Amino acid sequence: VSELGYNAGVYLAAAGGMGAVLVVTTVAFSSATAQAGKSLHDHALERLFHAPLDWFEATPSGRILSRFGSDMAAVDNTLA
């Protein structure tokens, strides 16, 4: 095997290894951010469900949905 062929093989192996590491880290990061978003959403929804009834009577449902939606969008944008 010539020196050029050997160097090309080493280069290809290094590039393939870096590509594999990139794929693994991308999948791990995506999974972690999705889990974090789900956890924050579940916690916020649980807190909303445990709010006092008089707060629901005093606050229009559209305002509650709008605020919850904008808060979740902010969380998603921060995690992305």
Side-chain angles (χ1 to χ4, degrees):
V1 177
S2 70
E3 186 177 339
L4 180 62
Y6 176 77
N7 288 341
V10 170
Y11 177 77
L12 286 174
M18 287 189 305
V21 168
L22 179 66
V23 168
V24 168
T25 56
T26 300
V27 168
F29 183 74
S30 297
S31 175
T33 56
Q35 182 61 33
K38 182 183 180 321
S39 174
L40 289 169
H41 174 272
D42 291 347
H43 182 69
L45 195 60
E46 183 179 341
R47 296 287 301 199
L48 181 66
F49 286 158
H50 287 88
L53 187 57
D54 59 343
W55 180 76
F56 283 105
E57 291 174 350
T59 308
S61 61
R63 185 177 299 164
I64 295 170
L65 288 173
S66 177
R67 178 61 190 256
F68 189 79
S70 65
D71 287 350
M72 288 299 101
V75 166
D76 290 343
N77 290 333
T78 301
L79 291 175

